[in-house]
Amino acid sequence: MPKVIRINMTDLSVRIDEAPEAWAGLGGRALTSTVVAAEVPPTCHPLGPNNKLVFAPGLLSGTAAGNAGRMSAGAKSPLTGTIKESNAGGTCGRMLGRLDIKAIIIEGQPASTETWYQIRISSEGAVIEPEAETVGMNNFAVLDSVARRYGEDKGVITIGSAGENLMLISNISTRDPEGKLRSFGRGGLGAVMGSKRVKFITIDQEGTRPVPLVDSAAFKAANMVFTKALKDHPVSGQGLPTYGTAVLVNILHEIGGLPTRNFTSGQCEHHDMISGEHMYDTIVARGGEPTHGCSLGCVIQCSQVYNDKDGKYLTSGFEYETIWAYGADCLIDNLDLIAECDNVMDDLGVDSIETPVMFGVAMEAGILKFGDGTEVLRMLREEIGKATPLGRILGAGTAMVGKTYGVARVPVVKGQAIPAYDPRSVKGIGVTYATTTQGADHTAGYAVATNVLNVGGKVDPLSNEGQVELSRNLQIATAAIDSTGLCLFIAFPALDIAECLPATVDMLNARFGTKLTMDDVVGLGKTVLKLEHEFNLAAGIGPEQDRLPEFFELEAIAPHNVKWDMEQKELETFWNF
């Protein structure tokens, strides 16, 4: 039977239960949000003892399904005050699936703040022990320490110094197949783990067997159809494997949707220097890997390994959103500097969207100059890394820096930084930013697919017409995908290739012996969104916060000279389902 491991950090006890029958059809985001909604008081302090940190593999985690390597983390966010789910690749999701662990729930809080702890999970259960060696270390050193002490084959979930210092930009990182890092990036979940005094968790899958399938032949057949769809679609089969997500730099620049200089422009003069095409050429010239997976079984392979000018490893998983934020929003025109920033953020354990968007606001405030990547690096290491007074202000995130320094143009929704796509030029993503339960998050309902890439049809990005419906449908579908352990990028073929989504449902049925239909999967997405929305309402976060910052309504953006002009009443119709 699937197991639930409860780690109580107040009395340092472990309880292992059979997963409730009601959780049988839940995994990933559906399960983390279900637990948080049921067990976390909506008005609790996110860094207090009543918050809970939940890890849950997806419904297909541990199987041979293509791109099923993701797992979810959930809690009440200290950054937004909302319910929060973030998912990541790496090795741990598959390991938990093989261990038949439905969820890990970390609750309570030690009375003393002097001791840190490690948690070790295996087929025999879970052990909590005091941890001293890695306290104060950043993530790469933690991985080295764990490998030396427990072996290189262990899954690792860890926080860096930012999480130890309870910074709201902190994230949780997990070991990837190459011994590097992937992250549960957004919402300050690293601070929640730090508040529980947990430095790292290890996962040991030794002795496990392949995940049982009720109908292995049907599963294999469905997976073949599913994998073929991923390879056949021009985005997931060609664009992303070749140029990574940074393929979007030139595309967004062309349509005027590339937020530049703290969202004052939609186009960046040096876009070619930070583009996916330039990154590809650089990686190839230096002997890196332009195509690379974040987890085992990845078909799309949109990650990469980026080397420095001497051919030595600099960073991996170098994403469009990070490159955009430093390259266009902060006006840094040196891709090597941006890659070094990415590496340092991985090591510190900070959100690689929140952090650079915060620096864009800091630059507008005059704390440092636009384009000064060297100073960004110094501040990451010397201020945020050492938790100086300035570092703590920066570590509190974009909204706090704007408030502290009196900046009016602060691109956040519900306290979380807006990423990568200007909502005045791409209005569908603006609806997602405003209405998602998670704070501004492009992955919650990726309307860019239809607004810009013409995937799943075409909705004019400059028109208000059809945007609420588009975002709603995508947010429902995303909530369901986030529950399976599948990568969000399966949405590209799912929107265009008729066989893709039915194959996903067929894999679920073959895995569990169920008789799910497409309507059931859509219903799961709706249930998850409503559950999250109800939590937020009980936390005091109502429709008045489902809006974009005022400056989007006041400042037109070139080249289309457009403003954000969606009526609030129209946004409120989002929840009419």
Side-chain angles (χ1 to χ4, degrees), residues 221-240:
N223 191 30
M224 289 179 65
V225 173
F226 175 73
T227 300
K228 184 177 185 300
L230 298 185
K231 292 179 177 179
D232 286 349
H233 195 274
V235 176
S236 57
Q238 299 170 32
L240 287 172

Side-chain angles (χ1 to χ4, degrees), residues 478-499:
T478 299
I481 291 171
D482 287 344
S483 304
T484 63
L486 294 170
C487 169
L488 178 60
F489 289 161
I490 74 157
F492 293 113
L495 289 167
D496 281 343
I497 297 176
E499 298 83 6

Side-chain angles (χ1 to χ4, degrees), residues 291-310:
T291 303
H292 183 262
C294 74
S295 62
L296 296 174
C298 175
V299 176
I300 297 175
Q301 300 271 310
C302 71
S303 182
Q304 63 294 116
V305 175
Y306 185 99
N307 292 337
D308 65 16
K309 60 182 176 57
D310 298 319

Side-chain angles (χ1 to χ4, degrees), residues 60-358:
L60 294 172
S61 294
T63 71
N67 282 68
R70 302 188 77 80
M71 64 178 286
S72 293
K76 179 177 178 179
S77 165
L79 182 72
T80 65
T82 66
I83 198 168
K84 188 65 187 174
E85 181 270 351
S86 183
N87 57 74
T91 59
C92 290
R94 287 188 175 277
M95 290 182 176
L96 290 177
R98 290 177 66 93
L99 287 164
D100 207 12
I101 293 173
K102 192 79 170 173
I104 302 168
I105 303 172
I106 303 176
E107 53 196 9
Q109 200 169 55
S112 171
T113 59
E114 295 181 1
T115 305
W116 285 88
Y117 297 90
Q118 57 164 288
I119 298 170
R120 299 199 309 279
I121 292 173
S122 69
S123 58
E124 298 181 356
V127 176
I128 310 170
E129 289 186 350
E131 171 61 20
E133 178 173 314
T134 60
V135 176
M137 286 184 179
N138 285 317
N139 284 323
F140 291 121
V142 173
L143 292 185
D144 290 342
S145 172
V146 170
R148 176 177 50 78
R149 292 151 70 185
Y150 303 117
E152 295 184 355
D153 59 341
K154 304 299 184 288
V156 183
I157 300 170
T158 178
I159 56 172
S161 59
E164 287 188 34
N165 288 315
L166 309 184
M167 292 185 176
L168 304 190
I169 64 172
S170 64
N171 62 24
I172 300 172
S173 295
T174 179
R175 188 183 187 276
D176 75 6
E178 305 296 325
K180 304 301 182 184
L181 295 165
R182 305 290 157 164
S183 297
F184 304 94
R186 312 218 65 196
L189 296 184
V192 178
M193 189 160 157
S195 74
K196 307 295 184 189
R197 309 295 289 177
V198 176
K199 178 61 179 178
F200 66 79
I201 303 168
T202 63
I203 314 292
D204 184 354
Q205 66 173 355
E206 185 177 355
T208 61
R209 297 179 178 179
V211 171
L213 305 173
V214 172
D215 190 336
S216 58
F219 187 93
K220 182 178 180 180
N223 191 30
M224 289 179 65
V225 173
F226 175 73
T227 300
K228 184 177 185 300
L230 298 185
K231 292 179 177 179
D232 286 349
H233 195 274
V235 176
S236 57
Q238 299 170 32
L240 287 172
T242 304
Y243 299 115
T245 56
V247 69
L248 290 162
V249 171
N250 284 339
I251 294 172
L252 269 295
H253 167 82
E254 184 68 23
I255 68 161
L258 187 71
T260 300
R261 196 183 175 95
N262 191 30
F263 285 76
T264 57
S265 172
Q267 295 183 313
C268 177
E269 288 186 2
H270 60 258
H271 63 97
D272 283 338
M273 300 173 67
I274 58 172
S275 68
E277 293 83 349
H278 178 64
M279 181 175 72
Y280 173 86
D281 291 342
T282 303
I283 290 172
V284 171
R286 295 174 176 179
E289 297 180 49
T291 303
H292 183 262
C294 74
S295 62
L296 296 174
C298 175
V299 176
I300 297 175
Q301 300 271 310
C302 71
S303 182
Q304 63 294 116
V305 175
Y306 185 99
N307 292 337
D308 65 16
K309 60 182 176 57
D310 298 319
K312 296 180 181 179
Y313 174 89
L314 189 51
T315 195
S316 53
F318 200 15
E319 302 291 347
Y320 161 67
E321 287 76 19
T322 304
I323 294 168
W324 152 75
Y326 280 126
D329 201 47
C330 293
L331 295 184
I332 299 170
D333 61 7
N334 185 318
L335 197 57
D336 284 353
L337 264 178
I338 298 171
E340 191 172 356
C341 289
D342 192 47
N343 179 276
V344 173
M345 289 189 298
D346 279 349
D347 200 24
L348 294 175
V350 296
D351 180 359
S352 62
I353 295 175
E354 186 71 39
T355 304
V357 176
M358 173 276 294

